[in-house]
Amino acid sequence: MLKIGSKSFSSRLLLGTGKYPDFHSQKKAVEVSEADILTFSVRKMDIFDKDQPNLLQELERSDYTLLPNTAGAATAEEAVQTARLARASGLCDMVKVEIIGCSKTLLPDPVETLKACEMLLEEGFIVLPYTSDDVVLARRLEELGCHAIMPGASPIGSGQGIINPLNLQWIIEQSSVPVIVDAGIGSPSDAAIAMELGADAVLLNTAVSGAKDPIKMALAMKKAIEAGRLGFEAGRIPKKTHATASSPSTGMIHS
Amino acid sequence: MKLIVNEKEVTVPDSVTVVKDLLHHFELTDRVVMVEQNQEVIDHSAHTVQPVKEGDQFQLVQFVGGG
């Protein structure tokens, strides 16, 4: 079970709901992923065009935990206001702190992220910061009281996979709160490796929504994350620089 | 009564006295809508009692797909 704050979740896949090619594939991908936690963004309504399909209106909301993000915020204050708006729905008390500090790389602003987390924790939110794979920053976020640490595998939407497994491993080793690898996952094997490294969960969006068949990819990610977790729990063999036969070396027929 | 809603000036009938009436006026009562009034976030539980006054500035926001 994945435990965040006082809540437990059976799925270790957190699924983003953005940029699917159509409403059907968005809804179906969510369904087959069997994710418990779904991320959303908070945006102004077009009050004169209310008939756009909206996933949240179609979901059985009691089946899911909403994880709103603060995407669009450039400062801690903007992120906090977005989080307050999300919580005012009465539907969630968790927030993914996402404060982008660079429009080219979409890497998070560490200073504003730290500040926002402090403010949100004071206001009683369950705080999950999206952060770079900086080991020291991850430790500082945990010391603040964040309920999970969400280091990126690589830049958002890049599909580059895990570009610094060593940093992720260090973050995982030092953390006593869940580590959720967030951003940059491109393929099921990327997600499986994150889990094999010992991550508690993976959050992904574009890898599914941008796939040729998002529904099939949602299923693939679910299986990859389950497989990776099982592999981690089972304990892989060490890598060796010599071969070791797996068949018996005695009783050969042709000796 | 004139209000600013999502940066647009709108005129609503005088029967709009609380936030819930405003959402009803825009036919939004069956949707998940979060409300900011003059930069203050209004909790959903206060929609039935929070007064709406001439010249108030509202942001009506919703959850949309995001990662």
Side-chain angles (χ1 to χ4, degrees), chain A residues 153-243:
Chain A
S154 52
I156 295 172
S158 70
Q160 288 279 334
I162 298 167
I163 52 176
N164 194 340
L166 186 61
N167 271 26
L168 279 185
Q169 206 173 328
W170 279 335
I171 292 172
I172 290 162
E173 281 168 12
Q174 76 178 7
S175 300
S176 53
V177 294
V179 175
I180 301 168
V181 173
D182 176 10
I185 296 294
S187 68
S189 60
D190 295 336
I193 289 168
M195 297 306 294
E196 285 182 49
L197 285 173
D200 294 277
V202 169
L203 195 166
L204 52 87
N205 189 146
T206 312
V208 168
S209 66
K212 198 165 78 182
D213 184 337
I215 301 163
K216 200 170 270 186
M217 188 58 85
L219 183 61
M221 288 299 184
K222 168 184 132 56
K223 288 175 183 263
I225 288 165
E226 286 171 356
R229 179 65 190 184
L230 282 172
F232 169 73
E233 288 174 1
R236 60 152 297 150
I237 61 163
K239 289 184 182 179
K240 292 170 284 193
T241 54
H242 59 273

XYZ file of all heavy atoms in Angstrom, chain A residues 153-243:
646
model
N 12.012 12.661 -13.101
C 12.959 11.731 -13.719
C 13.761 12.474 -14.779
O 14.954 12.237 -14.990
C 12.211 10.562 -14.345
N 13.094 13.394 -15.456
C 13.678 14.266 -16.489
C 12.624 15.349 -16.753
O 11.528 15.288 -16.190
C 14.031 13.470 -17.742
O 12.933 12.705 -18.190
N 12.931 16.354 -17.596
C 11.962 17.452 -17.747
C 10.549 17.007 -18.169
O 10.380 16.030 -18.912
C 12.612 18.332 -18.809
C 14.073 18.118 -18.603
C 14.195 16.649 -18.268
N 9.574 17.766 -17.689
C 8.149 17.487 -17.934
C 7.882 17.260 -19.420
O 8.276 18.071 -20.259
C 7.284 18.677 -17.445
C 7.385 18.837 -15.932
C 5.824 18.515 -17.860
C 6.732 20.098 -15.389
N 7.212 16.177 -19.722
C 6.782 15.914 -21.099
C 7.903 15.537 -22.052
O 7.658 15.344 -23.242
N 9.144 15.411 -21.527
C 10.277 15.142 -22.434
C 10.348 13.674 -22.827
O 10.929 13.335 -23.864
C 11.598 15.565 -21.785
O 11.922 14.692 -20.705
N 9.821 12.790 -22.005
C 9.901 11.361 -22.302
C 11.329 10.830 -22.288
O 11.615 9.775 -22.844
N 12.220 11.564 -21.609
C 13.639 11.165 -21.569
C 13.887 10.022 -20.579
O 14.988 9.470 -20.544
C 14.499 12.358 -21.152
C 14.633 13.436 -22.210
C 15.672 13.076 -23.242
O 16.595 12.318 -22.970
N 15.511 13.594 -24.445
N 12.911 9.720 -19.761
C 13.109 8.667 -18.757
C 14.007 9.164 -17.629
O 14.145 10.371 -17.417
N 14.621 8.214 -16.933
C 15.409 8.581 -15.746
C 16.817 8.946 -16.173
O 17.593 8.066 -16.557
C 15.412 7.411 -14.742
C 13.974 7.130 -14.293
C 16.282 7.741 -13.534
C 13.801 5.832 -13.553
N 17.144 10.227 -16.110
C 18.474 10.626 -16.589
C 19.513 10.649 -15.471
O 20.690 10.687 -15.750
C 18.450 11.983 -17.340
C 17.771 13.069 -16.512
C 17.777 11.857 -18.689
C 17.811 14.424 -17.188
N 19.068 10.598 -14.234
C 20.041 10.540 -13.139
C 19.567 9.555 -12.072
O 19.090 9.944 -11.006
C 20.256 11.937 -12.536
C 21.488 11.979 -11.649
O 21.957 10.942 -11.180
N 22.010 13.172 -11.420
N 19.720 8.253 -12.383
C 19.223 7.250 -11.427
C 19.929 7.315 -10.079
O 19.338 6.989 -9.048
C 19.496 5.904 -12.123
C 20.393 6.198 -13.271
C 20.258 7.647 -13.601
N 21.181 7.772 -10.083
C 21.929 7.840 -8.821
C 21.279 8.842 -7.870
O 21.073 8.549 -6.681
C 23.383 8.229 -9.116
C 24.332 8.196 -7.920
C 24.413 6.792 -7.325
C 25.709 8.684 -8.332
N 20.936 10.026 -8.387
C 20.269 11.017 -7.525
C 18.942 10.484 -6.994
O 18.615 10.658 -5.816
C 20.005 12.316 -8.306
C 21.173 13.269 -8.211
O 22.307 12.838 -8.018
N 20.907 14.551 -8.343
N 18.189 9.839 -7.874
C 16.891 9.300 -7.429
C 17.106 8.271 -6.320
O 16.388 8.258 -5.324
C 16.147 8.643 -8.595
C 15.374 9.562 -9.538
C 14.597 8.731 -10.544
C 14.432 10.489 -8.771
N 18.114 7.433 -6.516
C 18.413 6.407 -5.516
C 18.787 7.039 -4.174
O 18.333 6.590 -3.126
C 19.569 5.554 -6.036
C 19.577 4.158 -5.462
C 20.631 3.312 -6.154
O 20.914 3.505 -7.355
N 21.227 2.410 -5.422
N 19.585 8.092 -4.214
C 19.961 8.776 -2.973
C 18.738 9.377 -2.289
O 18.602 9.330 -1.073
C 20.994 9.873 -3.276
C 22.396 9.353 -3.421
C 22.910 8.211 -2.876
C 23.464 9.973 -4.156
N 24.237 8.077 -3.230
C 24.598 9.145 -4.008
C 23.575 11.123 -4.910
C 25.826 9.459 -4.589
C 24.793 11.430 -5.495
C 25.908 10.606 -5.335
N 17.864 9.979 -3.110
C 16.649 10.577 -2.532
C 15.787 9.487 -1.884
O 15.287 9.644 -0.768
C 15.851 11.363 -3.602
C 16.635 12.609 -4.027
C 14.467 11.754 -3.086
C 16.049 13.363 -5.207
N 15.653 8.375 -2.582
C 14.849 7.264 -2.057
C 15.447 6.747 -0.746
O 14.739 6.523 0.237
C 14.733 6.140 -3.119
C 13.850 6.611 -4.280
C 14.202 4.849 -2.508
C 13.993 5.804 -5.557
N 16.783 6.590 -0.727
C 17.455 6.052 0.468
C 17.302 6.957 1.685
O 17.149 6.496 2.807
C 18.951 5.844 0.174
C 19.238 4.572 -0.607
C 20.677 4.524 -1.131
O 21.516 5.352 -0.712
O 20.933 3.676 -1.987
N 17.329 8.257 1.464
C 17.317 9.180 2.614
C 15.905 9.515 3.102
O 15.746 10.063 4.194
C 18.036 10.479 2.246
C 17.213 11.392 1.350
C 17.886 12.713 1.008
O 19.039 12.912 1.326
N 17.174 13.596 0.359
N 14.879 9.200 2.289
C 13.536 9.697 2.595
C 12.751 8.730 3.460
O 12.754 7.522 3.215
C 12.750 9.940 1.298
O 13.431 10.889 0.509
N 12.050 9.277 4.430
C 11.133 8.421 5.190
C 9.684 8.697 4.797
O 8.777 8.026 5.270
C 11.355 8.604 6.692
O 11.291 9.962 7.011
N 9.462 9.692 3.927
C 8.130 9.897 3.338
C 8.170 9.298 1.926
O 9.255 9.074 1.386
C 7.734 11.397 3.281
C 7.571 11.955 4.682
C 8.735 12.206 2.467
N 7.005 9.026 1.327
C 7.017 8.424 -0.003
C 7.744 9.288 -1.042
O 7.663 10.516 -0.997
C 5.526 8.324 -0.360
C 4.822 8.305 0.940
C 5.638 9.150 1.870
N 8.459 8.604 -1.917
C 9.097 9.269 -3.050
C 8.323 8.865 -4.301
O 8.204 7.671 -4.614
C 10.582 8.873 -3.177
C 11.202 9.483 -4.437
C 11.351 9.317 -1.933
N 7.775 9.853 -4.968
C 6.959 9.612 -6.152
C 7.684 10.229 -7.342
O 7.853 11.455 -7.389
C 5.548 10.243 -5.978
C 4.868 9.646 -4.738
C 4.709 10.011 -7.243
C 3.612 10.377 -4.304
N 8.156 9.389 -8.243
C 8.884 9.916 -9.401
C 7.871 10.557 -10.348
O 6.917 9.919 -10.796
C 9.705 8.799 -10.094
C 10.325 9.313 -11.386
C 10.794 8.295 -9.153
N 8.072 11.829 -10.587
C 7.078 12.637 -11.288
C 7.764 13.357 -12.444
O 8.715 14.086 -12.234
C 6.499 13.652 -10.288
C 5.520 14.625 -10.926
O 5.138 14.417 -12.079
O 5.146 15.595 -10.241
N 7.273 13.146 -13.619
C 7.717 13.866 -14.831
C 8.856 13.177 -15.564
O 9.775 12.643 -14.945
C 8.129 15.299 -14.524
N 8.755 13.198 -16.872
C 9.829 12.723 -17.734
C 9.741 11.267 -18.143
O 10.495 10.813 -19.006
N 8.839 10.515 -17.500
C 8.707 9.091 -17.858
C 8.190 9.011 -19.306
O 7.256 9.720 -19.692
C 7.716 8.389 -16.898
C 8.243 8.395 -15.454
C 7.382 6.967 -17.380
C 9.493 7.593 -15.212
N 8.823 8.137 -20.110
C 8.417 8.029 -21.506
C 7.801 6.686 -21.851
O 6.886 6.601 -22.671
N 8.326 5.636 -21.217
C 7.895 4.286 -21.604
C 7.647 3.444 -20.359
O 8.086 3.802 -19.260
C 8.999 3.625 -22.437
O 10.114 3.388 -21.594
N 6.977 2.310 -20.535
C 6.755 1.432 -19.371
C 8.062 1.019 -18.693
O 8.114 0.920 -17.463
C 6.026 0.226 -19.985
C 5.333 0.787 -21.187
C 6.258 1.837 -21.737
N 9.125 0.800 -19.480
C 10.384 0.387 -18.845
C 10.939 1.492 -17.950
O 11.527 1.218 -16.905
C 11.417 -0.037 -19.893
O 11.710 1.026 -20.768
N 10.738 2.766 -18.337
C 11.175 3.878 -17.465
C 10.456 3.793 -16.119
O 11.064 3.977 -15.061
C 10.818 5.243 -18.085
C 11.553 5.526 -19.386
O 12.628 4.948 -19.604
O 11.035 6.346 -20.180
N 9.156 3.550 -16.187
C 8.360 3.489 -14.956
C 8.794 2.291 -14.107
O 8.911 2.390 -12.883
C 6.873 3.391 -15.295
N 9.056 1.175 -14.779
C 9.477 -0.032 -14.050
C 10.822 0.209 -13.365
O 11.020 -0.196 -12.213
C 9.569 -1.217 -15.008
N 11.739 0.887 -14.057
C 13.059 1.158 -13.453
C 12.904 2.058 -12.224
O 13.543 1.840 -11.196
C 14.029 1.758 -14.495
C 14.425 0.679 -15.509
C 15.280 2.329 -13.825
C 15.145 1.179 -16.730
N 12.034 3.065 -12.335
C 11.804 3.941 -11.171
C 11.354 3.112 -9.974
O 11.830 3.302 -8.849
C 10.759 5.001 -11.505
N 10.459 2.174 -10.223
C 9.959 1.341 -9.130
C 11.029 0.370 -8.634
O 11.135 0.105 -7.437
C 8.717 0.566 -9.584
C 7.536 1.438 -9.947
S 7.026 2.600 -8.667
C 6.460 1.493 -7.386
N 11.836 -0.156 -9.560
C 12.921 -1.059 -9.156
C 13.962 -0.340 -8.306
O 14.613 -0.944 -7.455
C 13.595 -1.667 -10.389
C 12.773 -2.756 -11.052
C 13.514 -3.354 -12.240
O 14.703 -3.709 -12.089
O 12.916 -3.443 -13.330
N 14.121 0.954 -8.560
C 15.054 1.743 -7.738
C 14.524 1.910 -6.318
O 15.257 2.332 -5.433
C 15.262 3.133 -8.360
C 16.143 3.224 -9.600
C 16.086 4.640 -10.186
C 17.584 2.859 -9.271
N 13.228 1.639 -6.135
C 12.645 1.736 -4.799
C 11.687 2.894 -4.626
O 11.269 3.191 -3.499
N 11.342 3.567 -5.721
C 10.347 4.637 -5.609
C 9.043 4.042 -5.079
O 8.731 2.871 -5.347
C 10.111 5.289 -6.973
N 8.302 4.844 -4.344
C 7.030 4.368 -3.785
C 5.913 4.418 -4.816
O 4.918 3.706 -4.700
C 6.650 5.208 -2.573
C 7.646 5.006 -1.445
O 7.496 4.022 -0.707
O 8.604 5.800 -1.344
N 6.065 5.308 -5.801
C 5.027 5.454 -6.824
C 5.588 6.265 -7.989
O 6.696 6.816 -7.907
C 3.792 6.153 -6.245
N 4.821 6.306 -9.057
C 5.191 7.089 -10.245
C 3.987 7.929 -10.646
O 2.848 7.444 -10.637
C 5.591 6.151 -11.413
C 5.708 6.924 -12.725
C 6.904 5.437 -11.114
N 4.248 9.199 -10.954
C 3.203 10.069 -11.475
C 3.546 10.373 -12.929
O 4.663 10.828 -13.216
C 3.126 11.373 -10.664
C 1.888 12.269 -10.827
C 1.847 13.309 -9.711
C 1.752 12.948 -12.157
N 2.640 10.106 -13.815
C 2.916 10.387 -15.224
C 1.653 10.858 -15.923
O 0.536 10.608 -15.482
C 3.534 9.172 -15.910
C 2.819 7.828 -15.771
C 1.763 7.668 -16.841
C 3.836 6.706 -15.885
N 1.853 11.538 -17.021
C 0.732 12.070 -17.800
C 0.997 11.912 -19.295
O 0.400 11.084 -19.978
C 0.508 13.544 -17.427
C -0.762 14.146 -18.020
O -1.395 14.981 -17.407
N -1.189 13.763 -19.217
N 1.991 12.678 -19.807
C 2.214 12.714 -21.256
C 2.559 11.339 -21.830
O 2.185 11.046 -22.973
C 3.339 13.717 -21.589
O 3.069 14.931 -20.891
C 3.413 13.996 -23.073
N 3.263 10.511 -21.052
C 3.630 9.181 -21.551
C 2.383 8.401 -21.953
O 2.415 7.581 -22.876
C 4.417 8.418 -20.490
N 1.276 8.668 -21.275
C 0.010 8.012 -21.617
C -0.792 8.856 -22.610
O -1.160 8.387 -23.686
C -0.820 7.725 -20.336
C -2.241 7.328 -20.680
C -0.156 6.624 -19.520
N -1.006 10.114 -22.272
C -1.896 10.940 -23.117
C -1.313 11.181 -24.500
O -2.045 11.375 -25.466
C -2.179 12.282 -22.434
O -1.005 13.052 -22.330
N 0.020 11.141 -24.612
C 0.655 11.400 -25.904
C 0.969 10.134 -26.685
O 1.481 10.207 -27.807
N 0.672 8.967 -26.098
C 0.964 7.702 -26.788
C 0.024 7.520 -27.982
O -1.057 8.110 -28.026
C 0.808 6.530 -25.813
N 0.449 6.694 -28.921
C -0.398 6.423 -30.099
C -1.742 5.859 -29.644
O -2.784 6.221 -30.168
C 0.336 5.440 -31.023
C -0.204 5.413 -32.433
C 0.780 4.716 -33.350
C 0.682 3.202 -33.161
N 1.645 2.468 -34.001
N -1.687 4.974 -28.668
C -2.913 4.411 -28.097
C -2.883 4.657 -26.578
O -2.342 3.837 -25.818
C -2.980 2.900 -28.398
C -4.280 2.272 -27.911
O -4.922 2.841 -27.000
O -4.641 1.204 -28.442
N -3.432 5.771 -26.137
C -3.331 6.118 -24.707
C -3.955 5.070 -23.787
O -3.459 4.857 -22.672
C -4.097 7.438 -24.605
C -4.118 7.994 -25.984
C -4.140 6.810 -26.904
N -4.996 4.415 -24.239
C -5.684 3.450 -23.370
C -4.782 2.231 -23.137
O -4.593 1.781 -22.006
C -7.041 3.045 -23.985
C -7.913 4.307 -24.151
C -7.747 2.015 -23.133
C -9.085 4.146 -25.086
N -4.188 1.746 -24.233
C -3.277 0.604 -24.110
C -2.047 0.988 -23.275
O -1.548 0.194 -22.485
C -2.865 0.135 -25.510
C -2.342 -1.275 -25.540
C -2.175 -1.776 -26.962
C -3.433 -2.453 -27.456
N -3.260 -3.071 -28.788
N -1.567 2.211 -23.459
C -0.389 2.650 -22.695
C -0.720 2.786 -21.213
O 0.133 2.502 -20.359
C 0.154 3.964 -23.248
C 1.485 4.385 -22.637
S 2.808 3.157 -22.860
C 3.406 3.611 -24.484
N -1.932 3.195 -20.898
C -2.326 3.290 -19.488
C -2.246 1.912 -18.835
O -1.765 1.761 -17.705
C -3.737 3.860 -19.372
N -2.683 0.904 -19.566
C -2.628 -0.468 -19.062
C -1.170 -0.928 -18.929
O -0.782 -1.551 -17.936
C -3.406 -1.395 -20.003
C -3.514 -2.851 -19.598
C -4.234 -2.992 -18.255
C -4.251 -3.661 -20.669
N -0.365 -0.594 -19.939
C 1.059 -0.966 -19.911
C 1.753 -0.335 -18.706
O 2.572 -0.983 -18.026
C 1.736 -0.531 -21.209
N 1.443 0.908 -18.422
C 2.068 1.597 -17.282
C 1.638 0.962 -15.956
O 2.441 0.805 -15.042
C 1.698 3.082 -17.302
C 2.383 3.862 -18.396
S 4.192 3.823 -18.211
C 4.670 4.919 -19.543
N 0.391 0.627 -15.872
C -0.105 -0.035 -14.654
C 0.691 -1.320 -14.408
O 1.192 -1.557 -13.313
C -1.599 -0.354 -14.814
C -2.182 -1.287 -13.768
C -3.639 -1.597 -14.090
C -3.985 -3.063 -14.018
N -3.696 -3.727 -12.775
N 0.831 -2.130 -15.470
C 1.535 -3.416 -15.331
C 3.021 -3.199 -15.049
O 3.629 -3.934 -14.275
C 1.338 -4.250 -16.598
C -0.082 -4.789 -16.732
C -0.272 -5.512 -18.054
C -1.691 -5.998 -18.228
N -1.870 -7.392 -17.847
N 3.615 -2.201 -15.707
C 5.050 -1.939 -15.524
C 5.339 -1.517 -14.085
O 6.331 -1.936 -13.483
C 5.508 -0.848 -16.486
N 4.463 -0.688 -13.543
C 4.657 -0.203 -12.173
C 4.465 -1.350 -11.180
O 5.228 -1.489 -10.220
C 3.741 1.011 -11.910
C 4.298 2.212 -12.689
C 3.604 1.315 -10.417
C 3.379 3.376 -12.848
N 3.500 -2.198 -11.445
C 3.308 -3.377 -10.582
C 4.520 -4.294 -10.676
O 5.030 -4.782 -9.659
C 2.043 -4.128 -10.996
C 0.771 -3.408 -10.583
C -0.500 -4.023 -11.164
O -0.409 -4.983 -11.966
O -1.578 -3.508 -10.834
N 5.005 -4.521 -11.905
C 6.162 -5.408 -12.103
C 7.405 -4.828 -11.438
O 8.160 -5.545 -10.769
C 6.407 -5.629 -13.600
N 7.614 -3.541 -11.623
C 8.780 -2.889 -11.022
C 8.757 -2.984 -9.505
O 9.780 -3.238 -8.867
N 7.597 -2.783 -8.942
C 7.466 -2.855 -7.486
C 7.734 -4.277 -6.990
O 8.466 -4.493 -6.005
C 6.065 -2.408 -7.047
C 5.811 -2.461 -5.568
C 6.682 -1.479 -4.814
N 6.618 -1.676 -3.378
C 7.229 -0.902 -2.488
N 7.977 0.106 -2.890
N 7.130 -1.147 -1.210
N 7.142 -5.260 -7.678
C 7.377 -6.665 -7.298
C 8.861 -6.994 -7.394
O 9.418 -7.663 -6.519
C 6.571 -7.601 -8.213
C 5.077 -7.733 -7.900
C 4.388 -8.527 -9.013
C 4.874 -8.430 -6.559
N 9.496 -6.515 -8.454
C 10.935 -6.756 -8.645
C 11.744 -6.154 -7.506
O 12.688 -6.774 -6.997
N 11.362 -4.949 -7.103
C 12.057 -4.281 -5.997
C 11.901 -5.096 -4.710
O 12.870 -5.345 -3.984
C 11.508 -2.872 -5.808
C 11.978 -2.204 -4.552
C 13.292 -1.751 -4.446
C 11.120 -2.025 -3.476
C 13.736 -1.131 -3.282
C 11.557 -1.410 -2.309
C 12.868 -0.964 -2.207
N 10.671 -5.532 -4.460
C 10.407 -6.290 -3.227
C 11.110 -7.651 -3.263
O 11.582 -8.147 -2.241
C 8.898 -6.466 -3.030
C 8.203 -5.179 -2.625
C 6.682 -5.311 -2.555
O 6.163 -6.420 -2.810
O 6.030 -4.297 -2.263
N 11.166 -8.252 -4.471
C 11.795 -9.578 -4.603
C 13.306 -9.477 -4.448
O 13.955 -10.423 -3.993
C 11.438 -10.176 -5.962
N 13.887 -8.347 -4.815
C 15.333 -8.160 -4.687
C 16.082 -8.741 -5.874
O 16.188 -9.974 -5.991
N 16.572 -7.900 -6.726
C 17.251 -8.384 -7.929
C 18.625 -8.976 -7.592
O 19.197 -8.675 -6.536
C 17.403 -7.251 -8.964
C 18.207 -6.044 -8.509
C 18.868 -5.351 -9.696
N 19.821 -6.236 -10.345
C 20.122 -6.200 -11.635
N 19.534 -5.313 -12.421
N 21.019 -7.009 -12.147
N 19.146 -9.789 -8.496
C 20.492 -10.326 -8.295
C 21.511 -9.219 -8.550
O 21.233 -8.287 -9.308
C 20.784 -11.536 -9.227
C 20.689 -11.118 -10.717
C 19.864 -12.707 -8.925
C 21.339 -12.099 -11.677
N 22.675 -9.334 -7.912
C 23.689 -8.311 -8.205
C 24.219 -8.452 -9.627
O 24.208 -9.552 -10.191
C 24.792 -8.603 -7.184
C 24.477 -9.906 -6.570
C 23.092 -10.303 -6.915
N 24.659 -7.354 -10.214
C 25.297 -7.413 -11.530
C 26.728 -7.902 -11.329
O 27.438 -7.428 -10.436
C 25.305 -6.025 -12.181
C 23.922 -5.578 -12.622
C 23.975 -4.243 -13.353
C 22.569 -3.822 -13.737
N 22.525 -2.533 -14.431
N 27.146 -8.887 -12.145
C 28.485 -9.449 -11.998
C 29.265 -9.240 -13.282
O 28.668 -9.038 -14.347
C 28.394 -10.953 -11.692
C 27.800 -11.256 -10.328
C 27.494 -12.731 -10.125
C 26.233 -13.134 -10.868
N 25.716 -14.452 -10.479
N 30.550 -9.318 -13.196
C 31.381 -9.155 -14.393
C 31.809 -10.517 -14.947
O 32.689 -10.609 -15.782
C 32.634 -8.311 -14.085
O 33.301 -8.905 -12.980
C 32.256 -6.878 -13.769
N 31.219 -11.601 -14.445
C 31.507 -12.932 -14.973
C 30.208 -13.716 -15.125
O 29.205 -13.394 -14.479
C 32.468 -13.675 -14.026
C 31.913 -13.817 -12.636
N 32.078 -12.838 -11.665
C 31.172 -14.790 -12.063
C 31.467 -13.216 -10.554
N 30.902 -14.396 -10.770
N 30.261 -14.733 -15.966
C 29.070 -15.557 -16.196
C 28.977 -16.646 -15.135
O 29.996 -17.109 -14.611
C 29.161 -16.191 -17.577
